[in-house]
Amino acid sequence: MKRRKFIASLGWLTAGWALTPLAPAKAFLPLGKKIKGSVKAKGKGLKDVVVSDGYSVVSTDRSGKYEMELHPNATAIFVSTPAGYAFNHEKGLSRHYRLVKDLNKRKGIDFELEALTVDDTNHQFIIWADPQVKSEKDVNRMMAESVPDVQKFVQAANGALLHGITVGDIVWDNHALFPSYNAAVEKMGIPFFQCIGNHDMDYNKGGDEVSDDTFQQYYGPTWYSFNRGKVHYVVLDDVRYLGKDREYDGYISEEQLAWLQKDLAFVPNDHLVIVCVHIPVHNEVKNNEALYAVLKGRNVHIMSGHTHYHRNVIKHDIFEHNHGTVCGAWWTGPICGDGTPSGYGVYSVKGTELSWYYQSTGKEAGHQLSMIVKDEDAASKKLQVNVWNYDPAWQLECWVDGVKYDALKQEKGFDLQAVALYQGPQLPKPRGFAEPKKTDHLFNAVIPAGSKNVKVVATDRFGKKYTADYNA
């Protein structure tokens, strides 16, 4: 997360290219340096393609050429890949940018794109939140569990257009493991875009203005955009390093907000906008109202991570998906602290319409709820249903021994399985801080002690039905 000190200027974004992990991203270039270049496909210039340095936002002319004044705090030039074109990548890692440190070696900054051979109006994407590997043991689990699950999903897609976005905490402070994540991306076999998380920052170089140096060397800009079909994707850096004792907060810099406003000026109002961040916007970003103001009037979904639980929130007519994690409870068990299984979000786009489900690692797509029946006393049992991807449009129905049972009520509390796995000073091992977390996607009821069969049917907002059964 890099929040560079704002200098009044027309200018806006940041980036990086296939790079050397130790070289600084920033170059010492004269102020006001003009940057020129082109965007082409098969040698022919492409008109109206957006190019940015993270501060200025311009589009190419009819010959595919662009020109801008490089902002003194810019670290890269990037192209906002237009609809109808493939994502430039290197072994799956997005390479839509050129680092500023290389600009003094070039006469012009040119981008070559490749047209897709299929219509991209309909496509899919996945959201990985918090792989957060800290050790080789964590990496081994990611490779043995999470990567094969995505490979299975990709194979089942049978050639459909797919891409992935990781919304931060790629590693857990151990930057030497970035290459291990990169190897995971390569194995998954689809283009991936990266968002910076608090555990991806440099804590030992100074303040926020240098805290994303290592991340940029591997993955380029910390805020940028791209397009596919009628969807405009935006990646933002909402983690502000406070410069001491590993302290940070949720905040979106004024530079990014100004850039975003300019970036969106090139996007039709009826297009779907997907905003990707690490820290959830609805309750943990201090200046979230400023972001909502920029996004006002558009069809927006926000994708976030960070919390190690799953929650859907609608605020200011914006739907935020705060995802359960790839690592579950920091690779200590199969579920997050709220009972959500380790996994990732799966999203399908049809034009400007978005549908989704949560993919639990190692499970079939229909695994969307869990149910526990526990003895309470001689006369009753406690029934608990956890619907981790719940939102107010879902509906739940329950039958006990074949009779409709309407006592199932939504209540905020602790998932019983999470309590069993994680509650107590010695649990979970070896990372005892992964406590159970209260969640509001729990549904509880008291049923007769003699109940033999329980069936729960949950219907999501898209009309898909999911079933859980208990048989004594």
Side-chain angles (χ1 to χ4, degrees), residues 379-392:
S380 63
K381 295 180 178 180
K382 180 175 182 177
L383 166 65
Q384 183 182 82
V385 179
N386 192 337
V387 186
W388 40 84
N389 209 17
Y390 176 83
D391 66 59

Side-chain angles (χ1 to χ4, degrees), residues 9 24 52 141 195 226 288 388 432 466:
S9 168
S52 176
R141 285 195 59 188
C195 174
F226 58 95
N288 56 10
W388 40 84
Y466 307 101

Side-chain angles (χ1 to χ4, degrees), residues 232-243:
H232 185 66
Y233 294 86
V234 175
V235 173
L236 296 175
D237 168 11
D238 70 347
V239 192
R240 178 173 61 175
Y241 182 46
L242 301 178

Side-chain angles (χ1 to χ4, degrees), residues 180-202:
S180 297
Y181 165 82
N182 298 350
V185 168
E186 182 179 4
K187 286 181 177 295
M188 287 186 284
I190 59 174
F192 254 81
F193 296 83
Q194 281 60 235
C195 174
I196 194 169
N198 53 292
H199 287 291
D200 302 320
M201 296 189 302
D202 295 304

